[in-house]
Amino acid sequence: MDADVIVVGGGVIGTAIAWRAARDARDARDARDVILIDPQTDDKASLVAAGMLGPVSESVFGEQNLLNLNLLSIARFPSFNKELEDATGHQTGLRTEGTIAVAYDSDDLAALDRLTAFRHSIGLQAERLDARECRKQEPFLSPATRGGVLAKGDLSVDNRRYLAALKQAAADAGVRTLTGFATSVGDGWVHAITYDTANPAGPANPAGPANPAGPANPNPIPQRLSARHVVVAAGHATSTIDGVPEEVRKAIRPVKGQILRLRHPRGIPPVLTHTVRAIVQGHDVYLVPRADGELVAGATQEERDDRDVTAGAVHDLLRDATTAVPAISELILAEASAGLRPGTSDNGPILGPIKTSTAETERLIIAAGHFRNGVLLSAATADAVTALLNGGQPDAAWAPFQPERFR
Ligand SMILES: Cc1cc2nc3c(=O)[nH]c(=O)nc-3n(C[C@H](O)[C@H](O)[C@H](O)COP(=O)(O)OP(=O)(O)OC[C@H]3O[C@@H](n4cnc5c(N)ncnc54)[C@H](O)[C@@H]3O)c2cc1C
């Protein structure tokens, strides 16, 4: 056996799982040996995301099971994040001011009233604001703002700092990271191509494939690794790995999102303190402020699998962002990027063991398809997988999200 647990994929989902798997072994005296396999490239939705932790805004009315899961996750996130910050000494930029959703016409206002009633019905805070109160909370909102709703319980985190902290915590807990990718997985084994990063200029292996996702590395090492459990957390690419059941592979698809990162020029105070969401000419736009002066504006949602940044998307995002908050035109456009959300056919994540009639134990676990909520769901996902690894059961909110629902 090469390890107790092999995790495939090093985004927020896989890295959170690897950290907690190593840290929260059932028997604390018998630390768990964990390997994380990841190509170490920037093809990660986790690096592109906005980092909003909004249980309601990202789940559509009627998706009750997903809402229950999001509520479990938002309740868990602050304590998980605190453990992470304490373990690493890194700040992840968790913000607690909440979200203001704003409206520009009576139809939008009516939609906000429905949202407020809905939030109240599930026990969440929501405070209806008139135009003056909106601009008191956020003085740079457009004068055309007609009203809004303040959702105090919504959080946000700097997803890049969060992922960096997770990586650090995983390494400190003893997780061994292999640079490479899994080609196929099974009940307790992984076929992988890994790269000797310590010796990148080593002798070329002409028989081995080049790392298609990463920097040219002439030294690919094909390996068969075995473990008590294998957890596949490769985001949208989970659908490309042999051995993941066909129905799960078919259920996962990439959903492209383009997003902007703006920065304040020296001397300009932060234009926002809350996350702001608005519908501008039918387009949904959100603005997420960071404590370090970054402001994230997003995002498109496209049924495409490329990561090209298009002029049209940048234009539309800037138009909508400056309509909501005109002062944004003074900020520096620091980055435009695109990522692939791991979408699923019913918008819910996929979490649980693969049950086969032949296997004695269920050693292959899927944790993927977190679509628009992967940062929010990362803490609860790590808890759920750790429970499975320890022979227990995840929280009941996960029950509707097992892989076999697609059979
Ligand atoms: C524009 C945009 C905005 C978003 N905003 C938010 C938000 O505000 N809040 C929120 O909660 N979520 C948001 N999301 C969604 C969130 O980013 C994803 O749900 C989450 O990052 C998924 O994490 P993951 O670890 O499953 O996937 P990823 O972050 O994509 O990581 C998957 C990892 O697996 C690796 N991998 C792929 N194939 C293999 C293989 N064969 N072997 C080994 N490793 C492999 C990849 O290289 C990658 O490192 C947003 C997404 C986008 C694109």
Side-chain angles (χ1 to χ4, degrees):
M1 249 327 145
D2 297 289
D4 295 312
V5 181
I6 299 174
V7 180
V8 175
V12 284
I13 299 297
T15 314
I17 291 169
W19 171 43
R20 299 309 287 219
R23 212 199 82 143
D24 298 344
R26 186 170 37 191
D27 182 350
R29 285 164 304 171
D30 180 19
R32 205 182 257 131
D33 188 16
V34 180
I35 290 176
L36 175 68
I37 305 175
D38 186 86
Q40 306 289 321
T41 64
D42 64 358
D43 183 5
K44 289 179 173 46
S46 304
L47 288 176
V48 176
M52 292 179 296
L53 310 174
V56 173
S57 1
E58 291 295 321
S59 57
V60 176
F61 293 109
E63 290 180 340
Q64 188 60 45
N65 290 334
L66 185 54
L67 177 66
N68 292 343
L69 192 57
N70 288 350
L71 291 172
L72 173 78
S73 307
I74 192 86
R76 171 66 169 124
F77 200 92
S79 59
F80 183 89
N81 187 65
K82 168 105 178 36
E83 287 165 34
L84 180 62
E85 289 188 334
D86 288 349
T88 59
H90 293 317
Q91 299 298 306
T92 61
L94 186 72
R95 295 199 66 159
T96 57
E97 290 89 342
T99 302
I100 298 184
V102 293
Y104 302 105
D105 59 34
S106 41
D107 283 352
D108 288 355
L109 279 173
L112 285 187
D113 284 335
R114 289 195 293 277
L115 178 66
T116 311
F118 179 62
R119 288 189 73 104
H120 286 156
S121 74
I122 55 173
L124 290 179
Q125 290 190 37
E127 190 184 331
R128 186 73 162 74
L129 307 176
D130 63 22
R132 200 176 48 84
E133 290 162 335
C134 282
R135 297 197 67 210
K136 196 168 156 204
Q137 295 281 346
E138 289 295 351
F140 288 105
L141 281 175
S142 158
T145 306
R146 291 270 306 274
V149 173
L150 171 60
K152 276 198 182 139
D154 283 9
L155 309 171
S156 70
V157 72
D158 183 330
N159 43 296
R160 292 179 178 178
R161 287 173 189 258
Y162 177 65
L163 180 57
L166 285 171
K167 278 184 170 180
Q168 179 70 55
D172 292 349
V175 173
R176 289 181 285 149
T177 297
L178 299 182
T179 301
F181 57 93
T183 51
S184 58
V185 293
D187 215 36
W189 59 264
V190 175
H191 279 159
I193 305 289
T194 60
Y195 297 87
D196 182 1
T197 48
N199 185 22
N205 175 357
N211 179 355
N217 188 319
N219 207 17
I221 307 160
Q223 309 206 33
R224 186 184 194 279
L225 300 163
S226 62
R228 217 178 300 279
H229 289 100
V230 171
V231 183
V232 182
H236 75 88
T238 298
S239 66
T240 66
I241 299 174
D242 284 343
V244 172
E246 199 54 30
E247 66 275 14
V248 173
R249 294 175 67 170
K250 278 194 183 142
I252 299 177
R253 71 185 194 286
V255 180
K256 178 178 174 180
Q258 300 190 57
I259 196 164
L260 308 178
R261 284 179 157 77
L262 303 142
R263 297 203 69 81
H264 291 68
R266 197 172 307 164
I268 299 230
V271 297
L272 292 176
T273 49
H274 300 81
T275 292
V276 167
R277 300 190 70 118
I279 297 171
V280 179
Q281 293 171 357
H283 299 108
D284 208 343
V285 66
Y286 54 73
L287 302 162
V288 188
R290 308 267 193 244
D292 65 1
E294 186 175 79
L295 183 73
V296 181
T300 66
Q301 184 161 315
E302 305 161 60
E303 294 292 335
R304 297 181 63 93
D305 65 358
D306 63 82
R307 292 195 301 132
D308 298 334
V309 175
T310 62
V314 174
H315 169 273
D316 290 354
L317 287 169
L318 284 176
R319 180 198 59 207
D320 297 343
T322 52
T323 302
V325 181
I328 282 179
S329 58
E330 303 297 324
L331 303 191
I332 296 162
L333 178 56
E335 184 188 310
S337 53
L340 298 175
R341 303 176 183 92
T344 62
S345 41
D346 63 6
N347 294 338
I350 303 172
L351 187 133
I354 298 302
K355 296 181 177 151
T356 61
S357 49
T358 49
E360 284 174 25
T361 52
E362 293 152 357
R363 298 165 65 186
L364 178 62
I365 295 171
I366 307 291
H370 293 71
F371 196 23
R372 296 172 64 99
N373 294 305
V375 185
L376 168 65
L377 291 172
S378 56
T381 300
D383 285 350
V385 173
T386 310
L388 288 170
L389 297 175
N390 286 342
Q393 282 302 316
D395 187 282
W398 284 101
F401 298 104
Q402 297 189 24
E404 61 259 30
R405 75 186 187 277
F406 294 112
R407 270 198 190 148

